[in-house]
Amino acid sequence: MTAPPDDCLARNEWICGEYLSTRRHILLDAVFQHLQLTAVSVLIGLVVALPLAVLARRWGWAAGPVLAVTTILYTIPSLAMFSPLLPVYGLSESLVVAGLVLYSLTLLVRNVLAGLRAVPEETRQAARGMGYGPIRLLLTVELPLALPAAMAGLRIAMVSAVSLVTVGAIVGFGGLGNLIYVGMNTYFKAQVLTASVLCVVIAVVADLLLLGAQRLMTPWTRAARG
């Protein structure tokens, strides 16, 4: 009988330090792409969702169609979402970003709109009485007070995007999803487990960072709890 190999890679173990040391550059490139796709898609989603929520708040009749369209987009399976975008963006990172932006709109629009609706009307009236115009009222009163609800939606959208980026592996731009996809096809245990754990770590760290940012930007909520 032959002795088992000493290398955990040769034994194809789930936990393998040799994999981390020999594939460091591959892992770093995958993590960078994962972070890039996630951050860009959520940022663009926020830029699009903010004016949509403001318009829905200003014009009540627009809230129904805006929420309906964004909700329908969220219910579309990821593969079905990429298909109609393929002729426009081709097999590129832009295809993945566009899909993630559309998915994030439901979470972002709903939470920003909920935050704006929660601003007390007497607060708006007081600001108008002090001479605040619509733009100044929005930027200095309504949006800051809507920040807790908006940040809650942003946190959910960010964690969801970290997960959905992996689906981009079907077009070759999935960050850590690429490693998971290849690892599952070749039954490369260490690669599948390492990439999966890194996805979880990214999601947790991103959520904690946004939670910390929310606490820094909304000190009045801590005072209210105290």
Side-chain angles (χ1 to χ4, degrees):
M1 295 180 62
T2 58
D6 295 331
D7 191 347
C8 60
L9 284 175
R11 294 194 299 269
N12 195 25
E13 296 179 353
W14 287 104
I15 301 176
C16 182
E18 188 71 16
Y19 174 80
L20 295 175
S21 60
T22 58
R23 268 68 168 189
R24 184 183 301 111
H25 295 300
I26 296 176
L27 286 170
L28 289 177
D29 289 343
V31 168
F32 178 77
Q33 185 183 71
H34 208 105
L35 293 173
Q36 182 184 37
L37 291 170
T38 301
V40 171
S41 60
V42 174
L43 179 60
I44 295 175
L46 184 61
V47 171
V48 175
L50 187 58
L52 287 177
V54 172
L55 290 176
R57 176 68 183 87
R58 288 285 185 268
W59 302 328
W61 60 267
V66 168
L67 293 177
V69 170
T70 55
T71 300
I72 291 172
L73 289 174
Y74 194 76
T75 62
I76 300 175
S78 54
L79 294 179
M81 177 72 80
F82 287 150
S83 298
L85 297 174
L86 190 58
V88 179
Y89 297 102
L91 297 176
S92 64
E93 292 186 354
S94 299
L95 173 66
V96 180
V97 170
L100 293 176
V101 168
L102 295 177
Y103 275 124
S104 68
L105 287 180
T106 300
L107 301 169
L108 294 173
V109 171
R110 281 185 177 277
N111 281 270
V112 174
L113 180 57
L116 292 173
R117 285 174 169 173
V119 177
E121 185 59 33
E122 56 268 25
T123 302
R124 292 191 177 91
Q125 294 296 339
R128 294 190 185 100
M130 296 172 62
Y132 282 46
I135 302 299
R136 188 183 178 190
L137 175 63
L138 174 66
L139 296 178
T140 63
V141 177
E142 293 180 312
L143 286 180
L145 292 178
L147 198 55
M151 287 298 294
L154 183 60
R155 288 171 59 194
I156 299 173
M158 182 68 74
V159 173
S160 297
V162 171
S163 173
L164 289 171
V165 164
T166 58
V167 181
I170 63 174
V171 295
F173 297 94
L176 292 165
N178 293 339
L179 301 183
I180 296 173
Y181 182 74
V182 173
M184 291 182 68
N185 285 337
T186 58
Y187 200 59
F188 192 174
K189 297 178 182 178
Q191 181 160 296
V192 172
L193 180 61
T194 303
S196 300
V197 169
L198 286 174
C199 284
V200 175
V201 170
I202 290 174
V204 172
V205 171
D207 187 57
L208 291 176
L209 288 175
L210 288 176
L211 178 59
Q214 177 182 340
R215 291 176 63 85
L216 288 175
M217 291 187 293
T218 57
W220 63 88
T221 59
R222 299 198 303 273
R225 296 191 195 101

